[in-house]
Amino acid sequence: MVTLGRERWNDYFDLNLILRKAEQSLNAPTVHITDTVAPKSAGGIHDYYSNGDYWWPNPATSDGMPYIRRDGESNPDNFSQHRLILREMRTHVAQLASAYKIYKKEEFAQKAVLFLKEFFLDESTRMNPHLLYAQAIPGVSPGRGIGIIDTLHLIDVPLAIRALQASPHMTDEILAGLEQWFADYLHWMSHHENGIEEMNENNNHSVCWFVQAATFALFTNHAEMLDFCRVQFKERLIPDQMDLDGSFPRELARTKPYGYSIFMLDNMITLCHILSTPHVNLWTFELPDGRGIKKGIEFLLPYMIEKESWPYAHDVESYESWPVGISSLLFTGLAYDSVPSLHLWRTLEQDPQVGEVRRNMAIRQPLLWL
């Protein structure tokens, strides 16, 4: 990972804002997957459930079944409460852990550990470590492999847990339980047919699978999985998904090509950040034809700097809300000493409120990653 000394935190982060957000989280109630029951779920109250974003009632049938797909158009009536609860937990934990990392106030650690314990460990409120019923489609499927993208928002949590280990509130028992939860989830997503299906997708979904697998493997000391992710980055993700100019053609073919291109590159850069070591540096990796993460950055960064020069179709939804201050701008700036990337990181909105944009920002507190 790219590192950043404590003495430079002020150069890239608003530490007072991190403090204010953590103070808000101190007063927030803990949240649990069991807070809301999904009426259409084939699972129980501890099982995560969601509907596919772009699926709508069928106008040709009296009961709306089976749902039909309208790519790029999110159905606001689909069940999303578990997704929002998961993201809310992640956000509070990341905010509290970041403030604890900076200020070492035990009240932040205590509340963060409470969020974690109740969400992942307590028998009455825990989430089961699988996504069997994610992105279900009424009348079509009770859950799909591509639903595993929903837990992309969990990747901040292992980094937060590591930051909290300095606190006596993160007891050995709680830490062991959290490590076991993520080990169990990693095993499920790498062995169950839904997880294998997601891993083998040929677009942003497979990249997001590897981002999660790499993060959870790093947290649980799964060296074999980390090596597998590095090989797949070099031998499959870059060769199969990046064009010679650095673009991602399958994302450009979507109805939201600008947002999906940003989302894709953001996650590819996060993979570089997670998986790079002194011995395997993915920031400098290139195929013989020049394709690599640097080529992807060279393609997209100019269009993030001057959005009006974007030569492709405009997104059917939330086009006006991009670009934003995604964490990969900071990681790129530090890895390559890139002034344009660091300038964008400092000037773009880092805490956007548009739901569609927030849904496509995996990392909420990049300080935890440095």
Side-chain angles (χ1 to χ4, degrees):
M1 286 191 179
V2 178
T3 59
L4 184 68
R6 187 182 186 95
E7 71 281 356
R8 298 181 63 198
W9 287 355
N10 269 309
D11 295 338
Y12 300 103
F13 300 102
D14 184 340
L15 303 187
N16 288 326
L17 179 61
I18 291 175
L19 177 62
R20 290 197 301 273
K21 286 184 171 294
E23 289 172 340
Q24 293 170 3
S25 294
L26 272 180
N27 298 313
T30 52
V31 294
H32 327 92
I33 214 71
T34 55
D35 290 346
T36 302
V37 176
K40 296 179 180 179
S41 175
I45 63 170
H46 297 281
D47 298 320
Y48 179 97
Y49 179 84
S50 67
N51 292 134
D53 294 292
Y54 306 143
W55 293 84
W56 296 71
N58 190 336
T61 61
S62 59
D63 62 357
M65 302 293 176
Y67 273 33
I68 60 172
R69 190 169 187 261
R70 288 157 51 178
D71 188 34
E73 300 180 45
S74 298
N75 182 350
D77 295 325
N78 282 345
F79 186 89
S80 60
Q81 287 91 327
H82 284 176
R83 181 186 294 176
L84 295 174
I85 288 170
L86 183 147
R87 285 166 49 186
E88 184 179 355
M89 177 278 301
R90 177 282 318 268
T91 298
H92 286 309
V93 169
Q95 289 175 173
L96 289 160
S98 295
Y100 179 71
K101 186 174 180 178
I102 298 165
Y103 298 104
K104 300 302 180 185
K105 291 185 177 181
E106 286 300 328
E107 59 183 339
F108 294 141
Q110 183 177 17
K111 187 60 178 282
V113 171
L114 184 63
F115 268 103
L116 292 165
K117 180 175 175 291
E118 293 186 5
F119 192 90
F120 293 105
L121 304 181
D122 286 0
E123 287 299 321
S124 61
T125 54
R126 74 191 300 264
M127 172 182 162
N128 287 333
H130 66 74
L131 250 62
L132 280 170
Y133 310 110
Q135 295 213 16
I137 306 168
V140 178
S141 172
R144 300 177 295 156
I146 65 170
I148 291 172
I149 202 170
D150 284 8
T151 45
L152 181 63
H153 289 277
L154 284 183
I155 64 172
D156 264 342
V157 173
L159 282 297
I161 294 169
R162 290 295 179 227
L164 294 165
Q165 278 187 246
S167 169
H169 294 287
M170 180 60 76
T171 66
D172 291 344
E173 181 182 6
I174 292 173
L175 177 61
L178 293 169
E179 289 176 341
Q180 188 62 55
W181 193 98
F182 279 96
D184 290 344
Y185 183 52
L186 178 59
H187 183 271
W188 179 83
M189 63 182 279
S190 57
H191 287 78
H192 191 274
E193 60 182 353
N194 285 13
I196 295 170
E197 176 185 305
E198 179 78 332
M199 179 185 70
N200 290 324
E201 287 286 338
N202 62 5
N203 61 5
N204 66 78
H205 277 267
S206 61
V207 173
C208 292
W209 187 97
F210 280 103
V211 169
Q212 293 184 70
T215 304
F216 305 153
L218 187 66
F219 178 57
T220 58
N221 297 311
H222 196 321
E224 184 179 352
M225 176 59 74
L226 288 169
D227 288 341
F228 174 70
C229 291
R230 292 184 183 104
V231 170
Q232 293 297 298
F233 181 91
K234 294 188 287 187
E235 297 184 2
R236 185 160 74 86
L237 298 183
I238 292 291
D240 291 357
Q241 301 208 36
M242 182 181 285
D243 209 342
L244 290 174
D245 63 357
S247 67
F248 296 101
R250 295 187 186 99
E251 310 310 319
L252 289 176
R254 299 293 297 273
T255 60
K256 295 188 286 191
Y258 188 66
Y260 269 116
S261 292
I262 293 173
F263 176 68
M264 179 68 154
L265 184 63
D266 185 43
N267 284 288
M268 290 288 280
I269 289 171
T270 298
L271 260 183
C272 271
H273 181 70
I274 297 166
L275 295 173
S276 289
T277 71
H279 305 293
V280 183
N281 188 355
L282 298 182
W283 292 103
T284 59
F285 168 77
E286 286 186 357
L287 295 173
D289 57 20
R291 285 180 294 168
I293 199 63
K294 194 170 186 180
K295 178 70 73 171
I297 293 165
E298 289 172 351
F299 170 81
L300 191 58
L301 189 61
Y303 300 129
M304 295 184 71
I305 295 171
E306 294 186 21
K307 180 180 177 180
E308 55 276 8
S309 66
W310 177 249
Y312 303 95
H314 290 189
D315 298 5
V316 298
E317 185 179 61
S318 303
Y319 179 73
E320 68 285 350
S321 301
W322 292 101
V324 295
I326 48 178
S327 56
S328 57
L329 291 170
L330 175 61
F331 299 160
T332 296
L334 295 174
Y336 295 120
D337 195 22
S338 167
V339 173
S341 290
L342 292 175
H343 177 72
L344 277 180
W345 164 253
R346 291 188 177 104
T347 56
L348 291 175
E349 174 58 55
Q350 296 173 16
D351 189 26
Q353 297 305 304
V354 176
E356 176 67 12
V357 175
R358 291 178 70 86
R359 183 169 72 86
N360 289 297
M361 290 179 67
I363 293 175
R364 188 64 67 226
Q365 288 290 343
L367 177 68
L368 295 170
W369 294 74
L370 299 170

